[in-house]
Amino acid sequence: GLVKEGELKIGSKLPTERKLAETLSIGRNSTREALRILENMGMIVCRQGSGNYITGNMTQTISGVIEMMLLLKQVTREEVLTFRRDLEKAVCHAVMKNGNIEQWYDKLMEILSRDLEEQSLEEQIETDRSFHYMLIQATENQLWICISEAISVVYRSWIACALRYSDLEMKRKLKESHLALLLALKEGSTERCDAAVDHHYDLVDEKL
């Protein structure tokens, strides 16, 4: 009720366990268990000696669900990879629809300008993550950002594996596909954008 009425927002401190138990007319043990579940979902964070605070970290919740579905074999890795590919195309279309790629172009190009040969594997992985993360941010749509980042959390270990087993030539091809994607965004070409995304994920799938 407090959340619905706007009294509790992201960053707000929750009432104490005792107060919540009294308000909801439930036992302290049930209250504590409910808070533990919310913390595991990423909805709240417990700060030792301070209390519980609302975080609204839905990314953790969604990525956790996907990882559990993978473990239970409700979805396959191939299905996640296909979804990630299609999601990236949709993200790019959203960025083009916004018409604000100029605001992000220089930042994205700066990421792509990093020299592969001067980077460690960890730095190469972080460069790839940064590019895709900033692309998602360019949608300026919180739902896109939340869902895309959740998928990226699951996908991140796989791209790390692909880069680990890629030679320098393959890494250059991946970088070139990023560049082709960025240029397609700047030109506003959905056809070239989709082709660049497909090329990128074809390369990744080859290593996975």
Side-chain angles (χ1 to χ4, degrees):
L2 291 175
V3 174
K4 186 176 181 179
E5 293 167 9
E7 292 185 37
L8 289 177
K9 303 176 181 178
I10 291 177
S12 295
K13 181 179 179 179
L14 290 178
T16 62
E17 284 185 11
R18 181 182 62 79
K19 182 66 175 176
L20 285 171
E22 291 175 355
T23 301
L24 300 172
S25 299
I26 59 176
R28 292 283 294 275
N29 287 339
S30 296
T31 303
R32 191 171 296 115
E33 179 63 15
L35 290 172
R36 186 189 67 79
I37 292 171
L38 287 174
E39 185 176 15
N40 288 339
M41 289 174 63
M43 297 305 298
I44 66 172
V45 61
C46 178
R47 297 174 186 165
Q48 195 65 33
S50 178
N52 296 299
Y53 294 81
I54 297 176
T55 63
N57 184 6
M58 294 305 295
T59 293
Q60 178 180 327
T61 304
I62 297 171
S63 63
V65 169
I66 296 169
E67 287 172 343
M68 182 58 70
M69 291 176 73
L70 282 164
L71 286 173
L72 295 174
K73 302 187 185 306
Q74 289 183 292
V75 298
T76 65
R77 186 170 71 168
E78 288 68 29
E79 288 173 326
V80 175
L81 289 171
T82 297
F83 183 77
R84 179 72 177 88
R85 181 192 294 246
D86 292 340
L87 186 64
E88 182 113 324
K89 291 178 184 178
V91 163
C92 291
H93 294 179
V95 173
M96 282 189 280
K97 186 176 181 181
N98 283 350
N100 65 345
I101 187 60
E102 291 294 338
Q103 300 174 29
W104 298 87
Y105 183 81
D106 288 344
K107 295 177 182 178
L108 286 160
M109 186 59 78
E110 187 279 325
I111 293 173
L112 295 182
S113 68
R114 299 170 188 172
D115 192 332
L116 280 172
E117 295 185 62
E118 293 183 0
Q119 291 182 309
S120 65
L121 175 61
E122 289 70 25
E123 289 171 332
Q124 291 169 358
I125 293 170
E126 177 57 25
T127 293
D128 181 87
R129 188 205 69 80
S130 296
F131 178 82
H132 289 280
Y133 177 77
M134 191 167 293
L135 192 60
I136 295 167
Q137 295 297 312
T139 66
E140 298 181 356
N141 180 308
Q142 291 305 310
L143 187 57
W144 275 123
I145 291 169
C146 178
I147 295 174
S148 299
E149 182 59 17
I151 291 292
S152 295
V153 169
V154 177
Y155 177 80
R156 200 163 293 153
S157 63
W158 301 344
I159 191 66
C161 181
L163 288 173
R164 186 170 289 110
Y165 292 104
S166 295
D167 57 21
L168 186 58
E169 182 61 28
M170 175 62 79
K171 290 174 182 176
R172 283 176 176 156
K173 289 180 180 179
L174 287 167
K175 182 176 180 177
E176 287 168 3
S177 68
H178 283 155
L179 181 59
L181 173 56
L182 182 54
L183 293 176
L185 284 172
K186 189 173 184 180
E187 294 172 8
S189 172
T190 55
E191 184 176 333
R192 288 184 60 189
C193 179
D194 289 353
V197 171
D198 280 332
H199 180 55
H200 175 74
Y201 286 99
D202 285 345
L203 290 170
V204 173
D205 288 351
E206 183 181 326
K207 283 298 176 183
L208 292 177

